[in-house]
Amino acid sequence: MDYLWHWRAITLYICGVYNVFMDVSTLERWNTWWKTGQVKQDLLKPFKRELYFKVTPYLQKRQILLFQGLRRVGKTKLLFQLISDLLKTEKAVHILYFSFDEQPCAIADVLETYQKHVLGKSFEETATPIYLFFDE
């Protein structure tokens, strides 16, 4: 148990270090659709698995969806497929993707940077849905 606590303490310390460097360019790197209006093709699969069709009805509900599973089974590809479909009906800046595996930092900093520099307002001040996709 002490080992687990120690690992969390190290993670929080690392996130604290990265907080200084969280800026909008970090978010823009992952959310290219804010400028292009579409997900990069190399991030999408040409086919959709059964889970995709089970999940899509829930996107229009105010709900948290959690996908868990082994590494390299397609969870990230599924997220990008869902984002791609949302881009057909939603404003691109209302869809945020962030990979904590690639850029360790505090979730609060990601959300604060997104609200301040991308949305230009808080979530509470936004009348339309905002879609948040967090990976790892």
Side-chain angles (χ1 to χ4, degrees):
M1 191 63 146
D2 288 335
Y3 176 76
L4 180 61
W5 179 87
H6 183 67
W7 180 83
R8 286 184 180 161
I10 291 171
T11 302
L12 292 173
Y13 175 73
I14 290 171
C15 289
V17 170
Y18 280 97
N19 289 349
V20 176
F21 302 108
M22 172 55 70
D23 64 359
V24 72
S25 66
T26 304
L27 297 181
E28 288 172 340
R29 183 169 58 112
W30 292 106
N31 297 273
T32 55
W33 51 85
W34 292 346
K35 292 184 179 176
T36 66
Q38 59 188 8
V39 176
K40 292 180 186 176
Q41 281 304 116
D42 63 325
L43 298 175
L44 299 170
K45 285 272 191 202
F47 61 91
K48 294 183 170 113
R49 295 188 178 180
E50 185 180 334
L51 181 59
Y52 169 86
F53 299 101
K54 290 181 179 180
V55 169
T56 51
Y58 294 99
L59 289 177
Q60 300 307 318
K61 299 178 181 192
R62 185 181 167 117
Q63 185 157 336
I64 296 173
L65 300 175
L66 173 69
F67 304 114
Q68 85 181 52
L70 298 172
R71 294 182 68 75
R72 315 246 344 126
V73 297
K75 296 180 301 291
T76 300
K77 295 290 184 193
L78 173 63
L79 294 181
F80 284 122
Q81 287 176 334
L82 294 170
I83 291 169
S84 182
D85 280 354
L86 282 171
L87 286 168
K88 296 173 186 171
T89 59
E90 305 293 332
K91 291 174 72 173
V93 294
H94 287 179
I95 302 169
L96 170 68
Y97 171 86
F98 192 82
S99 174
F100 291 95
D101 195 35
E102 300 290 330
Q103 177 74 44
C105 66
I107 190 170
D109 290 330
V110 172
L111 296 175
E112 180 182 338
T113 303
Y114 175 64
Q115 290 175 88
K116 186 175 183 181
H117 298 287
V118 179
L119 289 178
K121 53 188 160 186
S122 71
F123 293 130
E124 293 81 18
E125 297 170 320
T126 307
T128 57
I130 302 296
Y131 299 87
L132 307 173
F133 293 85
F134 295 126
D135 204 354
E136 297 290 329

